[in-house]
Amino acid sequence: MLDAFILILFMVIVGALIGGVTNSLAIKMLFRPYRAYYIGKFKVPFTPGLIPKRRGELAEQLGKMVVDHLITPESLQKKVMNEEFQKDVTGWLTEELKPVFTSDKSVNEWLNILQVPVSSERLNEWLEEWVADKLKDAKASYTSRTLEETLPEKWQEKVSESIPKLVDFIADRAETYFTSPEGKMKVKVMIDDFLKERGMLGNMLGMFLGNTSVADKVQPEIVKFIKHEGTQEILFNLLIKEWAKLKQMKLEEFIDRLPEEDLIRSAQTSLVKLVNIEGHLSKPLRQWLEPHQETFFNTELPKWVDKGTDLLSRKIPNLMEKMHLQHIVQEQVESFSVGRLEELVLGISRREFKMITYLGALLGGVIGIVQGIIALLIS
């Protein structure tokens, strides 16, 4: 019995060793040797290992597997359009942007940080160039037009409606002037000058009127003339005719009289002063953004994220096609050394490979037991 036990034990040990070593060697031969060996012109069989020998095919198959089964347009679209993902993106953007909304740095400082080539001097230059171009374009466009063709119809109607008011205004001002002491004095001076120029006739007229000044008699008549409806009608018709003539005048008659360079320079100076770009850029950024902070983070940012993810989702298939993801994976795998590939595979499956080795040893041991029993039966 002892001999039989020793024989079976020997068979078990030998079978286990053969099974374990064979499986371990097979696993090693997946990667080893890393290169082919030659004896003379003849290549040593099973060199290099399976994976080094088929690395190109492996890289190609991995690329296809990633694109066709792992990172597909559909899976990425599903992830991008996921509500939780959008909330995460919104939260991340909120954390990143809140310090900007509360920043004490000026707009100029932020422009420098972001390396945006914009300054108040440059913006003022752009503004001045824009004003000059617009005025020159306007001059070129409108010089051949009449005032009637240029002015909006509503403006023309307002001017026409204002003429009666202008007549009343002129009449009131004239009446006020001629009833004032200054006006009376002006009338007296004018009449005295008129009588002096008439010589003897003027003296006779003065003697005829006696002590009463001619101005005292003429001044009430001037006021009556001004207040008379006929006078106002004449003034009204005169203004209507002049307005009609004015509307038919071409703008070049007005524009050519204006000093173009002085006009442009004046407009540039006024607009630069009005806009005050330097003052705005010197203010802290939070002064511009804080009033809109709540609306931006609670309303606008989620909308932007939703629109952005929707746009990204629609562009993913085309983007992946342009990126050639399969070739990227293939090139990366091909660039790995065989040693690194071995580390990657063993790092994932080391335990499973050990179990395969142990399984080989177990099967070898079982086979050894069977062989030992068969040997005993035969003997």
Side-chain angles (χ1 to χ4, degrees):
M1 287 294 294
L2 182 60
D3 292 340
F5 176 75
I6 292 174
L7 177 63
I8 292 174
L9 180 62
F10 177 75
M11 290 288 189
V12 169
I13 293 172
V14 172
L17 286 174
I18 292 173
V21 171
T22 302
N23 281 10
S24 179
L25 181 61
I27 292 171
K28 293 290 184 183
M29 288 180 67
L30 289 173
F31 304 95
R32 311 284 180 100
Y34 294 154
R35 60 184 180 85
Y37 289 95
Y38 291 86
I39 299 175
K41 294 183 179 181
F42 298 98
K43 187 176 73 169
V44 176
F46 306 111
T47 63
L50 177 63
I51 290 180
K53 186 176 182 180
R54 300 288 184 88
R55 184 169 61 175
E57 296 177 24
L58 176 65
E60 184 179 353
Q61 291 301 319
L62 281 174
K64 288 182 179 179
M65 182 181 68
V66 168
V67 173
D68 295 340
H69 302 288
L70 298 180
I71 306 178
T72 63
E74 293 77 14
S75 63
L76 289 177
Q77 286 174 327
K78 185 177 179 181
K79 179 63 178 177
V80 168
M81 295 306 296
N82 183 270
E83 187 176 348
E84 291 299 323
F85 175 78
Q86 294 183 357
K87 286 182 179 179
D88 291 341
V89 172
T90 303
W92 174 74
L93 289 174
T94 299
E95 291 180 4
E96 294 296 322
L97 293 175
K98 271 193 174 179
V100 177
F101 275 72
T102 57
S103 173
D104 287 326
K105 293 179 180 178
S106 67
V107 178
N108 275 324
E109 290 175 313
W110 273 104
L111 291 174
N112 291 331
I113 292 172
L114 299 175
Q115 296 184 348
V116 178
V118 175
S119 63
S120 57
E121 291 80 10
R122 182 55 184 154
L123 290 175
N124 283 332
E125 289 177 7
W126 287 342
L127 185 59
E128 290 174 356
E129 291 173 3
W130 180 83
V131 170
D133 292 340
K134 288 299 179 183
L135 288 176
K136 289 178 181 178
D137 291 343
K139 180 180 179 181
S141 301
Y142 290 101
T143 48
S144 60
R145 300 184 185 182
T146 62
L147 189 64
E148 186 175 18
E149 294 172 338
T150 306
L151 288 178
E153 189 174 344
K154 289 184 178 180
W155 291 16
Q156 296 183 41
E157 291 176 358
K158 286 185 178 181
V159 173
S160 298
E161 292 171 0
S162 300
I163 290 178
K165 296 179 182 178
L166 181 61
V167 171
D168 293 338
F169 175 78
I170 293 173
D172 290 341
R173 298 300 297 174
E175 180 183 356
T176 302
Y177 176 77
F178 283 109
T179 55
S180 66
E182 181 184 355
K184 290 179 179 180
M185 181 60 67
K186 187 66 176 177
V187 171
K188 183 178 184 304
V189 170
M190 292 172 63
I191 291 175
D192 289 344
D193 291 340
F194 175 80
L195 294 177
K196 285 180 182 179
E197 291 176 358
R198 297 300 179 272
M200 185 178 294
L201 179 62
N203 293 331
M204 290 176 62
L205 182 60
M207 292 173 61
F208 177 76
L209 294 173
N211 295 329
T212 305
S213 172
V214 176
D216 292 336
K217 293 184 177 293
V218 172
Q219 188 263 347
E221 298 303 321
I222 293 176
V223 173
K224 288 180 182 179
F225 176 78
I226 293 172
K227 294 175 68 176
H228 195 275
E229 292 182 2
T231 305
Q232 295 189 7
E233 184 178 353
I234 293 171
L235 183 58
F236 175 79
N237 291 332
L238 179 63
L239 290 176
I240 288 292
K241 289 180 182 178
E242 291 301 319
W243 171 234
K245 290 180 183 178
L246 188 64
K247 287 194 293 183
Q248 297 306 315
M249 292 179 67
K250 290 188 176 181
L251 287 182
E252 60 185 351
E253 298 181 37
F254 300 99
I255 296 175
D256 290 342
R257 298 174 186 176
L258 299 174
E260 182 178 333
E261 294 300 325
D262 292 343
L263 181 63
I264 291 175
R265 194 176 301 109
S266 176
Q268 289 172 334
T269 303
S270 300
L271 194 57
V272 167
K273 186 177 180 181
L274 178 65
V275 176
N276 190 21
I277 294 175
E278 175 62 32
H280 293 317
L281 295 184
S282 300
K283 294 179 181 179
L285 188 61
R286 61 178 174 78
Q287 190 169 338
W288 294 99
L289 299 182
E290 264 189 339
H292 312 286
Q293 181 173 346
E294 185 175 349
T295 302
F296 177 79
F297 287 116
N298 295 337
T299 306
E300 299 302 326
L301 185 59
K303 287 182 182 178
W304 291 1
V305 170
D306 182 62
K307 291 180 180 178
T309 51
D310 181 64
L311 177 62
L312 179 61
S313 174
R314 286 187 275 111
K315 296 293 183 181
I316 280 177
N318 186 47
L319 183 62
M320 290 185 67
E321 184 180 348
K322 297 291 184 184
M323 288 177 63
H324 303 291
L325 191 59
Q326 178 178 337
H327 295 298
I328 293 175
V329 175
Q330 184 175 339
E331 289 173 1
Q332 284 295 104
V333 174
E334 288 178 345
S335 68
F336 291 164
S337 65
V338 181
R340 187 177 178 189
L341 280 175
E342 183 180 10
E343 289 176 7
L344 289 174
V345 176
L346 292 179
I348 298 171
S349 307
R350 188 180 303 276
R351 183 181 177 188
E352 285 73 16
F353 283 150
K354 284 183 178 180
M355 293 302 296
I356 291 173
T357 303
Y358 296 152
L359 180 61
L362 177 62
L363 291 175
V366 171
I367 292 173
I369 293 174
V370 173
Q371 286 179 334
I373 293 172
I374 293 173
L376 288 174
L377 291 175
I378 292 174
S379 63

